Amino acid sequence: MPNDQPGSSTGVGARLRRRRRALHLTLKDVAEQTGLTEGYLSQVERDQANASVHTLQRLCGVLKLTVGDLFEQGGSISSPVLRFRDTHGMSFGEGATKIKLTPGSFDHLEVLLGHFAPGGSTGVEPYTHGSSEELLLVLSGEVEVEVRGQRHRLSALDSIHYLSSDPHRVAEAGGTQEARVLWAMAPPTY
């Protein structure tokens, strides 16, 4: 049953609207990127129209969500505790893994734990993603962070901030030890 109560913060439409606003996107922005009309998107956000799975996939692609994130209930059903033993790392770059520590339902913050093997990096070339504010905190080891062509060597508890739209790259700096970092981004870009 659609949830069409004014001001309601539950339901798929409200979730889409919160995420769109958190990413500072207008209905027009989303319409242009999905090929849908602003009017239809407005109806979906107000739960006055049902979107097909294909349409939800297109919307989620733009809003950097999974379709499952749209149906995730907040802390009311699942525990707000994330057990490290239950997390799964994802390989990226060269000799690096990352673990997302925030749920997909978070609209304004994303936190990732990164692990770099000796000599590991985010890749050979600097990269960009979204246009978020990003903070990298070194938990252990040493890393070299390149932002906009400038290189910075950081040790445990040092941090650096930049925009995720700035070309950046991270690499374990010593070549002989592991490094762990924590990334915080607002709004989420992964």
Side-chain angles (χ1 to χ4, degrees):
M1 174 187 240
N3 183 1
D4 55 1
Q5 298 173 343
S8 174
S9 63
T10 61
V12 169
R15 175 74 178 105
L16 290 168
R17 182 175 48 252
R18 279 194 323 270
R19 182 58 164 228
R20 175 180 59 78
R21 289 178 175 168
L23 295 174
H24 306 290
L25 296 172
T26 64
L27 282 172
K28 182 179 180 182
D29 295 332
V30 176
E32 288 173 355
Q33 292 182 54
T34 60
L36 302 168
T37 67
E38 290 178 60
Y40 176 70
L41 291 173
S42 177
Q43 289 178 335
V44 169
E45 285 189 357
R46 290 179 286 134
D47 289 317
Q48 294 178 343
N50 291 323
S52 68
V53 172
H54 179 69
T55 297
L56 290 177
Q57 289 172 326
R58 288 163 55 191
L59 288 169
C60 288
V62 170
L63 299 176
K64 297 178 174 58
L65 293 169
T66 67
V67 174
D69 293 335
L70 297 176
F71 301 98
E72 189 177 276
Q73 297 295 315
S76 61
I77 293 179
S78 62
S79 171
V81 176
L82 174 67
R83 303 282 178 206
F84 190 76
R85 67 177 177 260
D86 297 331
T87 61
H88 302 282
M90 182 178 90
S91 295
F92 73 108
E94 299 174 359
T97 58
K98 63 183 170 185
I99 297 171
K100 187 172 179 176
L101 300 179
T102 45
S105 61
F106 273 31
D107 291 317
H108 299 286
L109 174 68
E110 184 170 44
V111 179
L112 301 168
L113 176 66
H115 174 261
F116 294 92
S121 72
T122 55
V124 175
E125 297 293 325
Y127 68 103
T128 64
H129 53 95
S131 59
S132 298
E133 295 175 327
E134 187 167 339
L135 176 102
L136 178 143
L137 170 70
V138 180
L139 300 175
S140 64
E142 290 187 351
V143 296
E144 182 177 88
V145 181
E146 180 181 341
V147 179
R148 293 183 310 274
Q150 291 188 333
R151 294 181 180 191
H152 310 274
R153 191 173 181 121
L154 305 176
S155 298
L157 302 182
D158 291 342
S159 65
I160 186 170
H161 57 88
Y162 48 89
L163 296 176
S164 61
S165 57
D166 292 334
H168 57 282
R169 176 182 182 271
V170 181
E172 187 278 318
T176 59
Q177 61 179 355
E178 297 180 342
R180 290 193 187 274
V181 302
L182 191 74
W183 283 281
M185 289 163 267
T189 62
Y190 287 106

